[in-house]
Amino acid sequence: MPLLSIEGIRKEYQVRGKKILALDAIDLTVDEGEFVTIVGPSGCGKSTLLNLIVGLLRSSFGRIVFHGDPINGICTKIGYVTQKDNLLPWRTLIANVEIALEIRGVDKRARRVQAEELIGRVGLGGFEDHYPHELSGGMRQRANIIRTLIYDPELILMDEPFGPLDAQTRIVLQDQLLKLWAASRKTILFITHDLIEAITLADRVVLMTSRPGRIKSIENITIPRPRDVFKIHETQQFRAAHERLWQELRPEVNLA
Protein backbone atom coordinates (compact mmCIF):
# COMPACT_ATOMS: atom_id res chain seq x y z
CA MET A 1 0.00 0.00 0.00
CA PRO A 2 1.42 3.45 -0.91
CA LEU A 3 1.91 6.01 1.84
CA LEU A 4 -0.06 8.61 -0.14
CA SER A 5 -2.73 7.99 -2.76
CA ILE A 6 -4.32 10.83 -4.75
CA GLU A 7 -7.43 9.50 -6.48
CA GLY A 8 -9.26 11.42 -9.21
CA ILE A 9 -8.80 14.80 -7.56
CA ARG A 10 -10.62 17.76 -9.05
CA LYS A 11 -10.63 21.24 -7.54
CA GLU A 12 -12.87 24.13 -8.58
CA TYR A 13 -12.97 27.68 -7.22
CA GLN A 14 -15.76 30.24 -7.39
CA VAL A 15 -14.27 33.56 -8.50
CA ARG A 16 -16.63 36.52 -9.10
CA GLY A 17 -19.49 34.17 -9.77
CA LYS A 18 -17.55 32.03 -12.21
CA LYS A 19 -16.18 28.54 -11.77
CA ILE A 20 -12.40 28.22 -12.19
CA LEU A 21 -11.08 24.70 -12.62
CA ALA A 22 -7.66 24.52 -10.98
CA LEU A 23 -7.01 20.76 -10.98
CA ASP A 24 -8.62 17.96 -12.93
CA ALA A 25 -8.35 14.16 -12.76
CA ILE A 26 -5.19 13.99 -10.65
CA ASP A 27 -4.11 10.42 -9.88
CA LEU A 28 -0.80 9.81 -8.12
CA THR A 29 0.65 7.44 -5.56
CA VAL A 30 3.76 8.07 -3.46
CA ASP A 31 5.56 5.26 -1.67
CA GLU A 32 7.18 5.53 1.73
CA GLY A 33 10.70 6.93 1.52
CA GLU A 34 10.28 8.34 -2.00
CA PHE A 35 11.47 11.78 -3.08
CA VAL A 36 8.98 13.00 -5.69
CA THR A 37 9.17 16.38 -7.38
CA ILE A 38 6.32 18.14 -9.17
CA VAL A 39 7.12 20.63 -11.92
CA GLY A 40 4.81 22.66 -14.13
CA PRO A 41 4.03 26.17 -15.36
CA SER A 42 2.84 28.95 -13.07
CA GLY A 43 -0.83 28.68 -12.14
CA CYS A 44 -1.17 24.97 -12.89
CA GLY A 45 -2.35 24.11 -9.37
CA LYS A 46 0.82 22.72 -7.80
CA SER A 47 0.40 24.61 -4.53
CA THR A 48 -3.33 23.87 -4.52
CA LEU A 49 -2.50 20.18 -4.66
CA LEU A 50 -0.25 20.44 -1.59
CA ASN A 51 -2.95 22.34 0.28
CA LEU A 52 -5.39 19.55 -0.52
CA ILE A 53 -2.96 16.88 0.68
CA VAL A 54 -2.31 18.54 4.03
CA GLY A 55 -6.01 19.24 4.56
CA LEU A 56 -6.06 23.03 4.23
CA LEU A 57 -8.48 22.72 1.29
CA ARG A 58 -11.23 20.28 0.35
CA SER A 59 -11.39 18.77 -3.12
CA SER A 60 -14.42 19.23 -5.37
CA PHE A 61 -14.21 15.58 -6.41
CA GLY A 62 -12.04 12.57 -5.61
CA ARG A 63 -10.15 11.75 -2.45
CA ILE A 64 -6.68 11.74 -0.92
CA VAL A 65 -5.69 8.77 1.23
CA PHE A 66 -2.78 8.90 3.67
CA HIS A 67 -1.70 5.72 5.46
CA GLY A 68 -4.96 4.09 4.39
CA ASP A 69 -7.21 6.84 5.77
CA PRO A 70 -8.89 9.62 3.75
CA ILE A 71 -7.73 13.16 4.46
CA ASN A 72 -10.71 15.06 5.89
CA GLY A 73 -8.97 17.91 7.69
CA ILE A 74 -5.57 19.11 8.87
CA CYS A 75 -3.23 16.13 9.18
CA THR A 76 -0.54 16.65 11.83
CA LYS A 77 1.48 13.71 10.52
CA ILE A 78 2.26 15.74 7.40
CA GLY A 79 4.87 18.50 7.52
CA TYR A 80 4.66 21.55 5.26
CA VAL A 81 7.67 23.69 4.25
CA THR A 82 6.53 26.85 2.48
CA GLN A 83 8.40 29.20 0.17
CA LYS A 84 8.40 31.89 2.86
CA ASP A 85 10.22 30.82 6.01
CA ASN A 86 7.61 32.28 8.42
CA LEU A 87 10.06 32.23 11.33
CA LEU A 88 8.74 34.05 14.39
CA PRO A 89 10.76 37.31 14.56
CA TRP A 90 10.72 37.50 18.35
CA ARG A 91 12.24 34.03 18.80
CA THR A 92 15.88 33.09 18.31
CA LEU A 93 16.94 30.52 15.73
CA ILE A 94 16.99 27.67 18.21
CA ALA A 95 13.70 28.74 19.77
CA ASN A 96 12.12 28.72 16.30
CA VAL A 97 13.50 25.29 15.46
CA GLU A 98 12.26 23.69 18.68
CA ILE A 99 8.82 25.33 18.74
CA ALA A 100 6.90 22.24 17.56
CA LEU A 101 8.41 20.15 20.36
CA GLU A 102 7.62 22.91 22.84
CA ILE A 103 3.96 22.88 21.74
CA ARG A 104 3.93 19.10 22.20
CA GLY A 105 5.21 19.45 25.75
CA VAL A 106 8.64 17.92 25.19
CA ASP A 107 11.08 18.57 28.04
CA LYS A 108 13.17 21.71 27.50
CA ARG A 109 16.50 19.91 27.72
CA ALA A 110 15.40 17.14 25.33
CA ARG A 111 14.08 19.53 22.70
CA ARG A 112 17.18 21.70 22.98
CA VAL A 113 19.42 18.70 22.29
CA GLN A 114 17.40 17.76 19.19
CA ALA A 115 17.38 21.34 17.92
CA GLU A 116 21.12 21.76 18.41
CA GLU A 117 21.82 18.52 16.55
CA LEU A 118 19.76 19.58 13.52
CA ILE A 119 21.18 23.11 13.55
CA GLY A 120 24.67 21.66 13.45
CA ARG A 121 23.81 19.32 10.58
CA VAL A 122 22.80 22.20 8.31
CA GLY A 123 25.80 24.35 9.15
CA LEU A 124 24.09 26.86 11.43
CA GLY A 125 26.07 26.10 14.57
CA GLY A 126 27.05 29.32 16.34
CA PHE A 127 23.87 31.13 15.25
CA GLU A 128 21.54 29.52 17.80
CA ASP A 129 20.88 32.80 19.63
CA HIS A 130 20.49 34.97 16.53
CA TYR A 131 17.09 36.35 15.53
CA PRO A 132 15.64 35.87 12.02
CA HIS A 133 16.49 39.42 10.91
CA GLU A 134 20.13 38.66 11.68
CA LEU A 135 20.20 35.65 9.30
CA SER A 136 20.49 35.46 5.52
CA GLY A 137 17.66 34.12 3.37
CA GLY A 138 19.42 30.79 2.93
CA MET A 139 20.02 30.45 6.66
CA ARG A 140 16.37 31.19 7.42
CA GLN A 141 15.22 28.60 4.90
CA ARG A 142 17.53 25.97 6.44
CA ALA A 143 15.93 26.78 9.77
CA ASN A 144 12.49 26.48 8.17
CA ILE A 145 13.29 22.98 6.91
CA ILE A 146 14.73 21.62 10.16
CA ARG A 147 11.86 23.21 12.11
CA THR A 148 9.67 20.77 10.19
CA LEU A 149 12.03 17.80 10.45
CA ILE A 150 12.34 18.08 14.23
CA TYR A 151 8.81 16.81 14.93
CA ASP A 152 9.33 13.79 12.67
CA PRO A 153 6.39 13.99 10.21
CA GLU A 154 5.80 10.91 8.07
CA LEU A 155 5.39 12.97 4.89
CA ILE A 156 6.98 16.34 4.12
CA LEU A 157 5.47 18.71 1.56
CA MET A 158 7.77 21.40 0.17
CA ASP A 159 6.36 24.29 -1.85
CA GLU A 160 9.24 25.85 -3.78
CA PRO A 161 11.35 26.27 -0.63
CA PHE A 162 14.38 27.51 -2.58
CA GLY A 163 12.47 29.69 -5.03
CA PRO A 164 13.43 33.13 -3.64
CA LEU A 165 17.14 32.30 -3.22
CA ASP A 166 20.07 33.08 -5.50
CA ALA A 167 21.44 30.32 -7.73
CA GLN A 168 24.49 29.55 -5.62
CA THR A 169 22.53 29.30 -2.37
CA ARG A 170 19.93 27.10 -4.05
CA ILE A 171 22.56 24.54 -5.06
CA VAL A 172 24.07 24.48 -1.57
CA LEU A 173 20.64 23.94 0.00
CA GLN A 174 19.77 21.24 -2.53
CA ASP A 175 22.91 19.42 -1.44
CA GLN A 176 22.04 19.79 2.25
CA LEU A 177 18.46 18.68 1.67
CA LEU A 178 19.58 15.50 -0.09
CA LYS A 179 21.92 14.72 2.79
CA LEU A 180 19.12 15.26 5.33
CA TRP A 181 16.81 13.07 3.25
CA ALA A 182 19.43 10.32 2.91
CA ALA A 183 19.82 10.26 6.71
CA SER A 184 16.09 10.21 7.50
CA ARG A 185 14.52 8.69 4.36
CA LYS A 186 11.41 10.75 4.95
CA THR A 187 8.88 10.79 2.15
CA ILE A 188 9.08 14.15 0.34
CA LEU A 189 6.76 15.76 -2.20
CA PHE A 190 8.61 18.80 -3.55
CA ILE A 191 7.21 21.51 -5.85
CA THR A 192 9.46 23.54 -8.11
CA HIS A 193 9.41 25.60 -11.31
CA ASP A 194 13.00 24.57 -11.99
CA LEU A 195 13.34 21.45 -14.15
CA ILE A 196 17.04 21.08 -13.28
CA GLU A 197 16.18 21.13 -9.57
CA ALA A 198 13.34 18.65 -10.10
CA ILE A 199 15.63 16.11 -11.77
CA THR A 200 18.53 16.66 -9.37
CA LEU A 201 16.50 15.83 -6.29
CA ALA A 202 13.94 13.26 -7.34
CA ASP A 203 13.30 9.56 -7.62
CA ARG A 204 10.40 10.54 -9.89
CA VAL A 205 9.49 13.81 -11.60
CA VAL A 206 5.78 14.52 -12.06
CA LEU A 207 5.13 16.96 -14.90
CA MET A 208 1.88 18.93 -14.90
CA THR A 209 0.01 20.69 -17.68
CA SER A 210 -1.03 24.31 -17.71
CA ARG A 211 -4.37 25.10 -16.00
CA PRO A 212 -6.42 23.13 -15.35
CA GLY A 213 -3.55 21.13 -13.91
CA ARG A 214 -3.38 17.52 -14.98
CA ILE A 215 -0.52 15.05 -14.80
CA LYS A 216 1.05 14.96 -18.25
CA SER A 217 3.88 12.53 -17.60
CA ILE A 218 5.95 10.91 -14.86
CA GLU A 219 9.68 10.31 -15.34
CA ASN A 220 11.66 7.83 -13.26
CA ILE A 221 15.08 9.31 -12.47
CA THR A 222 17.61 6.49 -12.36
CA ILE A 223 20.71 8.59 -11.66
CA PRO A 224 22.56 6.78 -8.84
CA ARG A 225 22.58 8.16 -5.31
CA PRO A 226 24.28 9.84 -3.55
CA ARG A 227 24.26 12.61 -6.14
CA ASP A 228 26.72 15.43 -6.62
CA VAL A 229 24.40 18.38 -7.15
CA PHE A 230 27.31 20.51 -8.36
CA LYS A 231 28.15 18.18 -11.27
CA ILE A 232 25.01 16.13 -11.88
CA HIS A 233 24.03 18.18 -14.94
CA GLU A 234 27.21 16.96 -16.66
CA THR A 235 26.07 13.31 -16.72
CA GLN A 236 24.51 11.67 -19.76
CA GLN A 237 21.61 10.33 -17.66
CA PHE A 238 20.77 13.85 -16.49
CA ARG A 239 20.94 15.32 -19.99
CA ALA A 240 18.71 12.58 -21.39
CA ALA A 241 16.08 13.02 -18.64
CA HIS A 242 16.18 16.80 -19.03
CA GLU A 243 15.68 16.56 -22.80
CA ARG A 244 12.69 14.22 -22.47
CA LEU A 245 11.02 16.31 -19.78
CA TRP A 246 11.69 19.63 -21.48
CA GLN A 247 10.03 18.39 -24.66
CA GLU A 248 6.94 17.64 -22.54
CA LEU A 249 7.08 20.84 -20.49
CA ARG A 250 7.89 23.35 -23.23
CA PRO A 251 4.42 23.54 -24.84
CA GLU A 252 2.83 23.94 -21.39
CA VAL A 253 5.12 26.85 -20.53
CA ASN A 254 4.38 28.51 -23.88
CA LEU A 255 0.65 28.21 -23.16
CA ALA A 256 0.92 29.56 -19.61
Side-chain angles (χ1 to χ4, degrees), residues 81-109:
V81 178
T82 57
Q83 187 176 99
K84 189 174 180 182
D85 61 71
N86 295 313
L87 298 177
L88 300 177
W90 60 88
R91 293 179 71 108
T92 62
L93 167 63
I94 196 164
N96 267 290
V97 171
E98 67 182 22
I99 190 169
L101 299 185
E102 181 181 335
I103 292 170
R104 293 184 176 188
V106 175
D107 174 77
K108 183 176 182 178
R109 179 173 292 182

Side-chain angles (χ1 to χ4, degrees), residues 185-198:
R185 285 292 172 173
K186 289 294 178 185
T187 309
I188 294 179
L189 196 57
F190 185 108
I191 282 179
T192 178
H193 278 101
D194 186 339
L195 186 54
I196 292 174
E197 181 172 72

Side-chain angles (χ1 to χ4, degrees), residues 18-197:
K18 295 182 179 179
K19 284 186 178 180
I20 302 295
L21 182 58
L23 293 169
D24 190 30
I26 300 291
D27 290 290
L28 179 67
T29 59
V30 179
D31 291 330
E32 190 167 357
E34 263 198 301
F35 199 131
V36 176
T37 57
I38 301 177
V39 64
S42 295
C44 73
K46 300 184 297 294
S47 297
T48 296
L49 181 59
L50 291 197
N51 288 333
L52 289 166
I53 292 169
V54 79
L56 289 171
L57 295 175
R58 294 289 184 94
S59 63
S60 305
F61 185 82
R63 68 173 190 163
I64 297 173
V65 179
F66 178 68
H67 256 321
D69 296 319
I71 295 287
N72 292 312
I74 299 295
C75 182
T76 58
K77 294 180 180 179
I78 299 176
Y80 200 167
V81 178
T82 57
Q83 187 176 99
K84 189 174 180 182
D85 61 71
N86 295 313
L87 298 177
L88 300 177
W90 60 88
R91 293 179 71 108
T92 62
L93 167 63
I94 196 164
N96 267 290
V97 171
E98 67 182 22
I99 190 169
L101 299 185
E102 181 181 335
I103 292 170
R104 293 184 176 188
V106 175
D107 174 77
K108 183 176 182 178
R109 179 173 292 182
R111 67 180 188 250
R112 185 57 52 101
V113 168
Q114 291 185 57
E116 288 176 344
E117 192 270 334
L118 282 170
I119 287 170
R121 282 170 59 185
V122 295
L124 293 177
F127 292 91
E128 289 86 351
D129 296 325
H130 286 62
Y131 290 89
H133 74 274
E134 299 173 313
L135 305 173
S136 70
M139 295 167 80
R140 291 195 301 270
Q141 198 56 284
R142 278 180 259 179
N144 191 26
I145 291 169
I146 61 175
R147 181 179 59 176
T148 299
L149 287 175
I150 199 169
Y151 66 86
D152 201 29
E154 297 178 47
L155 169 65
I156 299 174
L157 310 177
M158 294 187 163
D159 190 359
E160 295 191 75
F162 308 147
L165 305 175
D166 63 83
Q168 292 80 13
T169 303
R170 283 174 69 111
I171 295 173
V172 170
L173 292 192
Q174 288 167 10
D175 183 57
Q176 290 188 332
L177 176 59
L178 284 182
K179 288 175 180 175
L180 287 169
W181 175 77
S184 68
R185 285 292 172 173
K186 289 294 178 185
T187 309
I188 294 179
L189 196 57
F190 185 108
I191 282 179
T192 178
H193 278 101
D194 186 339
L195 186 54
I196 292 174
E197 181 172 72

Side-chain angles (χ1 to χ4, degrees), residues 35-37 197-205 221 225 227:
F35 199 131
V36 176
T37 57
E197 181 172 72
I199 297 168
T200 298
L201 298 175
D203 295 317
R204 288 188 295 152
V205 175
I221 306 300
R225 297 185 186 273
R227 297 174 183 167

